[in-house]
Amino acid sequence: MCGIVGVVGSPNAASILLEGLKRLEYRGYDSAGMVIMTPDGQQLVKEKGKIVNLEAALNWDELKGTCGIAHTRWATHGAPNQINAHPHVSGKVALVHNGIIENQKALKIQLTNKGHEFVSQTDTEVLAHLIEDFYDGDLVKAVQLALGVVDGAFGIAVTHLDEPDLIIGARRGSPLVVGVGEGVNYLASDVAAMMGHTRQVIYLDDGEMVTLRPEGIHTTTIDNEEITKEIQEITWDLDQIQKGGYEHFMLKEIFEQPQTIRDSFRGRILPGTGDVKLGGIELTDWELRNIRRIIILACGTSWHAGLVGEYLLEEYAHIPVEVEYASEFRYRSPIIEPGTLCLVISQSGETIDTLEAMREAKRKGAKVLGITNTVGSTIARESECGVYIHAGPEIGVASTKAFTSQVTILALMAILFGRRTHLSADRGTQMLQELVKLPDLVQKVLDQSDAIKQIAEVYAGHKNCLYLGRGVNFPIALEGALKLKEISYIHAEGYPAAEMKHGPIALIDPDMPVVVIATKDGSYDKIVGNVQEVRARDGKIISIVTEGDTEIAALSDHVITIPETMNFWTPLLSVIPLQLFAYHIAVIRGEDVDQPRNLAKAVTVE
Ligand code: G6P
């Protein structure tokens, strides 16, 4: 988390930094700040809260300089207040930092003994002092020496007033990307910050550092070995990260799903063979046939997509699948046998727990395949092979379109793996024919947004909500509950419907809305029973049913229909009303939908 942006060589440095911060606000938004090198010294501005607060505090006349760094924060060490906001300054050194310095306590004692005085509770300030302590006229050397003694994760940008045309960036664990311009160069934790200024970028890898001056860029390792980095071209546009007339990014992203699902399967279906081609999967047919076990590693919504993938892969590829929280996987002794494939799912491609779990899996000999949305992200680069979901930039903190694209890719994978073994061409063809219809069916669900808003109005004031689903729609119950929690702060839980009687049923009363995903499938009769159990206890029932259903509809207080499709494709439809339900409730409650409290889009701390 935390967003970093830096620019050198532009007379509009402060406004470029502010614009960049606004694009990075999804990474953290509890405080923000910037520092500009000016002829009158380094001008530092920091404010608690969102970027608008920082913007209001800027005195543009004082910020006339061509070089500066800025930061939007998601607090780890120290409360989210003005003092703890970045940049942190020690003498003429200024620093912004994403990550955690683990040995900061010991370093702070040493520096205090040498006379350094600290004003904040942050680990970042310790690093700023450490760099100043090592400085003897050469900032590059001071940064290298300082980073040589810190433990932990970092993406940093550093300036020094005596070298006012220089920014140094370095990374270990937190993303940094360099934007290459003409006479102006940029540094940021995400390319979004520099869109509109340059499309030429260099992704730094762990252990690397960069010096940016107006006239050029120089990359080395932190140990000062020369390295040559490839310049890459960004292919997406600025309007893809703007709201396009919607009130919130989240709503825009929910409504983009017919298109993003289509983009995920476009060009990957082989007509006439019932087969699929995923260019990034660099496995031979022999290797695909010899996958004995799949472990899916992910966090949050991506973990829920992985759970859907478990149902799809076991059903159609007949491969045993385990879905692991990445954070748990990395700290136990996972058993990786020959033939184990790890699917690593991450929208951002930067989630630190997922990244570290992937590294652990690689270390133990697993074949690792990344499923990410963010081109050039660390997981995309470090996985041996992978598939991009092509959902386009997702800005809303609560993930929506990335989820449906992840599930689409997992559906394609189930067919790909299945077709290498027992799945027939006819069956593959039929599944793909149903898959390509989904974008239009998703649109039909989106068309019910106003009706879903009316249901949301009834329940916006409730304190709890239970979500039930069975089979492949059980993960959708989890995802629906997560969406509601994340943006409306209503306590919500997802359960397999049959588990309700083992605990949650005790909670059912007239104040407990229960959202039931009850599409027509093999367990339909069982879920009718579960709905009756809720009704018998006066719980309120909101059901998601297949078009034409009358039985569950008759038992429900509110009904939302989804069009008929293959049972295993229903999650791509049933999740849509739950996204809309959570969205409308949050808006009615007046919550900040795109930037919910305490959350961040890319969680790059453990
Ligand atoms: C954060 C976000 C979630 C996301 C999770 C995993 O918690 O707020 O929306 O699902 O991280 O992120 P990833 O980028 O790895 O999919």
Side-chain angles (χ1 to χ4, degrees), residues 299-302 346-348 351 397 399 486 600-601 603:
C299 303
T301 289
S302 298
S346 173
Q347 186 286 127
S348 62
T351 302
V397 165
S399 183
E486 283 179 314
K601 183 82 187 145
V603 181

Side-chain angles (χ1 to χ4, degrees), residues 128-379:
H129 280 264
L130 191 63
I131 294 170
E132 198 218 356
D133 202 65
F134 280 118
Y135 187 79
D136 65 358
D138 180 350
L139 187 59
V140 175
K141 200 169 110 205
V143 171
Q144 286 172 341
L145 289 171
L147 295 181
V149 297
V150 299
D151 296 332
F154 52 79
I156 56 167
V158 195
T159 56
H160 194 290
L161 192 56
D162 289 346
E163 300 177 69
D165 280 330
L166 169 66
I167 298 175
I168 295 177
R171 76 162 271 180
R172 188 201 291 157
S174 303
L176 268 189
V177 55
V178 179
V180 184
E182 283 177 19
V184 187
N185 291 303
Y186 309 85
L187 182 70
S189 34
D190 184 330
V191 283
M194 51 186 83
M195 285 300 289
H197 300 295
T198 181
R199 291 181 165 278
Q200 311 285 310
V201 300
I202 296 170
Y203 294 100
L204 289 192
D205 286 307
D206 276 353
E208 294 179 351
M209 69 184 275
V210 61
T211 57
L212 294 99
R213 293 186 167 87
E215 60 276 14
I217 280 157
H218 180 218
T219 46
T220 62
T221 65
I222 292 171
D223 301 328
N224 205 25
E225 283 169 28
E226 295 287 322
I227 45 170
T228 308
K229 300 286 291 182
E230 192 193 337
I231 297 183
Q232 299 187 26
E233 174 97 12
I234 299 300
T235 51
W236 42 272
D237 289 322
L238 200 53
D239 59 5
Q240 282 180 270
I241 53 169
Q242 286 169 349
K243 280 190 201 155
Y246 286 90
E247 200 183 336
H248 297 100
F249 281 113
M250 183 180 177
L251 190 63
K252 173 183 174 236
E253 287 157 6
I254 291 173
F255 273 84
E256 277 174 354
Q257 289 176 107
Q259 188 56 41
T260 49
I261 293 174
R262 202 174 274 122
D263 288 343
S264 299
F265 65 64
R266 176 180 290 132
R268 290 168 160 173
I269 290 172
L270 298 175
T273 59
D275 205 355
V276 159
K277 180 167 173 46
L278 292 168
I281 300 189
E282 291 155 9
L283 299 174
T284 62
D285 278 0
W286 186 86
E287 284 174 309
L288 288 172
R289 252 177 246 122
N290 282 283
I291 298 167
R292 294 285 164 260
R293 181 172 163 238
I294 293 175
I295 300 177
I296 296 181
L297 302 172
C299 303
T301 289
S302 298
W303 185 78
H304 293 157
L307 288 179
V308 177
E310 178 178 23
Y311 284 87
L312 303 182
L313 288 159
E314 292 195 340
E315 178 74 15
Y316 297 118
H318 289 193
I319 303 170
V321 180
E322 288 159 63
V323 188
E324 301 255 10
Y325 284 115
S327 55
E328 289 298 313
F329 178 88
R330 59 179 287 207
Y331 285 116
R332 51 187 189 78
S333 290
I335 295 161
I336 307 281
E337 294 155 328
T340 301
L341 173 70
C342 276
L343 298 183
V344 181
I345 309 178
S346 173
Q347 186 286 127
S348 62
E350 300 293 351
T351 302
I352 194 76
D353 282 325
T354 311
L355 175 61
E356 289 299 338
M358 179 180 89
R359 288 174 175 163
E360 180 65 15
K362 272 173 89 173
R363 209 173 285 128
K364 295 259 163 75
K367 188 92 191 160
V368 168
L369 196 157
I371 301 176
T372 62
N373 192 31
T374 313
V375 176
S377 59
T378 312
I379 290 175

